[in-house]
Amino acid sequence: MSYSKIKALLGSTDFDRAVTVKGWVRSRRGGKPVWFIEINDGSTIRNIQAVADPAQFSEELIAQITTGSCIGVEGMLVASQGKGQSMEIQAKTITVYGTADATTYPLQKKGHSLEFLREIAHLRPRTNTFGAVFRMRHHMSYAIHKFFNDRGFFNLHTPIITGSDAEGAGEMFRVTTLDLKNPLRKEDGSIDFSQDFFGKETNLTVSGQLEGELGALALGLIYTFGPTFRAENSNTPRHLAEFWMIEPEMAFYDVNDNMDLAEEMLKYLVQYALDNCADDLKFLNDMYDKELIARLQSVVSKPFTRITYTQGIEILTETMLSKKKKFEYKPEWGADLQKEHENYLVEHFGGPVMVTGYPKKIKAFYMKLNDDNETVRGMDILFPWIGEIIGGSQREDDYEKLLARVKEMNIHEESVWWYLETRKFGSCPHSGFGLGFERLLLFVTGMTNIRDVIPFPRAPKNAEF
């Protein structure tokens, strides 16, 4: 049987017609004169009200229509005479697909803490908050694909299982079929990974970048969008063990082209959220973050500030010396920027900041060296409240310089031989960056914990659901 989505009905003025809706009961109130049933089907944050005459329905049926139960309603769509809604359905037939025990259903019509809802992640999508967040997650995912597709990029699927560590961090999840109780070992006692499924040590990827570069050196413009994994034992509101990354790689782009594309993309995505998620944004703005919509609008309203790392350190140092602000970590040239430093720079310039020219010793081996041989053509984008939202660089395209960096950082050449070889055969200037999808979602939803913008978060000691 065909049925209408509630979102479509709420956007219609075509009244006095037969409709069918199917969804989950948010509330039921009333009594002998009339029953009012609020229904939501997930297509919108707003509910539609069904009005049921008790004389037409048995008490047994009405008793099954409790908060959380799943029902279908057939009836007439009419203009509502009551307050709070422009239309309602005069129910003719009600079908109960699944009941919910009113005494045990955990999502009653009352406030629930986000901490509690994380414990019932199998049910939290039914709440207004997570319905809004996960609809926005969909819209942002679609907008990313649309942005790149419309600009001639090709979506490249890079491997999830890899034998290399793109970041050099070493915090990876191992993939193995070896018997963990009694793994095969070499004469020196070390595990013999040659007997493993892939014949070598393999892990879940931390990034699709290295493989993405291979695609860019053939297809010109590519992007990846997939899950990545880090075995970092960090239980903070900013870290996940499983998360999604968007990583474009562009042949013939220098670091300035890279920054231009990153700024264009972020503004596009934020504007897409403003244009296509109005109801959900209004709810999140009113419920959690009164400045959310204004902050989103501010991002798209003016150019991002661009500074060098050295300029950033000078600003932070001057601020500290003049005692305008205290920092827990002293800003020093050669040290990475801390979250407090990033936040201050964003506040100082009144909006997003792009930082370039980082010291090579704190950046990855693949970033192109500047002529001073001390800094690289990396670029980070710092956002209000979030801090770093994008990290990228122009990639080193000179074979000898790249090889020297690999050796300098004690990376095993045999694990990246194929990456090095691309610099021998038709290398060219190229650039790319990575956008953490969940960090983007934190910004556009106003949520404060990264575990609340992914349906089923994976974190230390937490792999439920």
Side-chain angles (χ1 to χ4, degrees), residues 381-438:
I381 300 182
L382 313 180
F383 251 35
W385 183 77
I386 294 294
E388 181 191 333
I389 195 169
I390 275 181
S393 73
Q394 185 172 339
R395 312 313 191 189
E396 183 57 75
D397 54 279
D398 183 283
Y399 174 78
E400 295 299 335
K401 291 181 179 179
L402 184 61
L403 179 59
R405 287 287 284 155
V406 166
K407 292 179 178 179
E408 184 181 325
M409 300 188 72
N410 298 315
I411 296 171
H412 297 298
E413 290 179 49
E414 60 270 20
S415 68
V416 291
W417 68 267
W418 45 272
Y419 183 74
L420 289 164
E421 196 164 273
T422 59
R423 272 58 174 178
K424 292 182 179 180
F425 306 131
S427 184
C428 72
H430 60 287
S431 300
F433 59 81
L435 167 66
F437 189 41
E438 282 72 28

Side-chain angles (χ1 to χ4, degrees), residues 165-186:
D165 179 358
E167 298 293 330
E171 296 167 336
M172 304 178 76
F173 290 102
R174 180 170 293 163
V175 176
T176 182
T177 59
L178 294 176
D179 182 357
L180 298 182
K181 294 181 179 178
N182 187 29
L184 297 169
R185 297 185 181 276
K186 298 178 182 178

Side-chain angles (χ1 to χ4, degrees), residues 121-414:
H122 58 306
L123 294 174
R124 70 177 182 169
R126 297 192 193 182
T127 65
N128 284 334
T129 295
F130 288 97
V133 168
F134 297 148
R135 278 188 295 271
M136 290 189 66
R137 187 179 175 103
H138 158 77
H139 284 297
M140 289 295 93
S141 177
Y142 173 79
I144 286 163
H145 286 295
K146 179 172 172 55
F147 174 84
F148 286 116
N149 181 75
D150 291 353
R151 286 156 182 76
F153 283 69
F154 299 104
N155 184 208
L156 189 71
H157 296 159
T158 53
I160 291 175
I161 299 174
T162 179
S164 65
D165 179 358
E167 298 293 330
E171 296 167 336
M172 304 178 76
F173 290 102
R174 180 170 293 163
V175 176
T176 182
T177 59
L178 294 176
D179 182 357
L180 298 182
K181 294 181 179 178
N182 187 29
L184 297 169
R185 297 185 181 276
K186 298 178 182 178
E187 291 183 1
D188 63 3
S190 62
I191 295 176
D192 186 2
F193 285 103
S194 67
Q195 304 301 311
D196 207 348
F197 185 89
F198 293 106
K200 61 185 294 186
E201 186 173 0
T202 54
N203 305 281
L204 295 180
T205 186
V206 298
S207 170
Q209 178 205 314
L210 301 190
E211 294 87 353
E213 285 186 51
L214 312 187
L217 294 175
L219 301 174
L221 303 173
I222 69 94
Y223 73 102
T224 74
F225 190 172
T228 51
F229 310 84
R230 291 196 182 180
E232 184 177 356
N233 190 16
S234 181
N235 247 320
T236 77
R238 293 285 191 277
H239 292 88
L240 288 168
E242 176 184 287
F243 52 99
W244 289 67
M245 287 288 292
I246 301 95
E247 297 176 291
E249 294 290 331
M250 297 76 66
F252 312 112
Y253 274 48
D254 64 18
V255 67
N256 293 309
D257 300 321
N258 202 26
M259 289 192 289
D260 291 343
L261 181 72
E263 180 173 353
E264 180 188 4
M265 183 192 72
L266 287 171
K267 286 184 174 180
Y268 177 93
L269 296 177
V270 172
Q271 188 62 58
Y272 193 93
L274 289 166
D275 292 342
N276 295 276
C277 307
D279 286 346
D280 291 327
L281 276 176
K282 185 179 185 307
F283 170 80
L284 294 169
N285 187 93
D286 295 346
M287 189 74 178
Y288 294 100
D289 186 345
K290 304 297 184 184
E291 299 178 355
L292 173 60
I293 293 176
R295 191 163 57 247
L296 297 181
Q297 291 171 336
S298 72
V299 164
V300 299
S301 65
K302 61 181 180 180
F304 294 178
T305 300
R306 301 188 182 190
I307 63 172
T308 65
Y309 167 87
T310 300
Q311 289 172 327
I313 292 295
E314 289 173 351
I315 291 170
L316 294 167
T317 301
E318 181 182 343
T319 299
M320 183 185 66
L321 293 176
S322 64
K323 298 183 179 180
K324 293 179 182 177
K325 185 175 179 63
K326 292 182 179 179
F327 296 115
E328 182 179 353
Y329 296 93
K330 181 182 178 181
E332 294 182 306
W333 201 97
D336 211 350
L337 295 177
Q338 299 295 321
K339 181 75 162 50
E340 60 177 342
H341 303 149
E342 296 171 344
N343 287 343
Y344 181 80
L345 290 173
V346 170
E347 293 170 6
H348 178 79
F349 289 104
V353 179
M354 308 181 84
V355 184
T356 60
Y358 283 88
K360 67 177 183 180
K361 68 179 183 179
I362 61 172
K363 288 298 182 181
F365 75 97
Y366 49 72
M367 294 190 180
K368 188 169 183 63
L369 283 169
N370 284 316
D371 294 338
D372 61 12
N373 201 39
E374 290 295 327
T375 60
V376 293
R377 297 179 194 177
M379 69 95 178
D380 288 349
I381 300 182
L382 313 180
F383 251 35
W385 183 77
I386 294 294
E388 181 191 333
I389 195 169
I390 275 181
S393 73
Q394 185 172 339
R395 312 313 191 189
E396 183 57 75
D397 54 279
D398 183 283
Y399 174 78
E400 295 299 335
K401 291 181 179 179
L402 184 61
L403 179 59
R405 287 287 284 155
V406 166
K407 292 179 178 179
E408 184 181 325
M409 300 188 72
N410 298 315
I411 296 171
H412 297 298
E413 290 179 49
E414 60 270 20

Side-chain angles (χ1 to χ4, degrees), residues 22-87:
K22 300 180 180 182
W24 292 266
V25 175
R26 288 294 177 86
S27 69
R28 187 202 70 191
R29 58 187 174 84
K32 287 189 176 180
V34 66
W35 286 105
F36 298 100
I37 306 167
E38 294 285 328
I39 307 167
N40 187 282
D41 66 0
S43 63
T44 174
I45 199 165
R46 294 184 289 164
N47 306 326
I48 198 165
Q49 178 174 273
V51 181
D53 182 350
Q56 297 182 24
F57 303 97
S58 67
E59 292 183 4
E60 290 78 11
L61 178 68
I62 293 296
Q64 295 180 66
I65 303 174
T66 58
T67 300
S69 62
C70 183
I71 67 172
V73 176
E74 297 177 54
M76 293 295 293
L77 184 69
V78 299
S80 176
Q81 303 302 313
K83 295 181 180 180
Q85 66 277 330
S86 61
M87 64 185 67

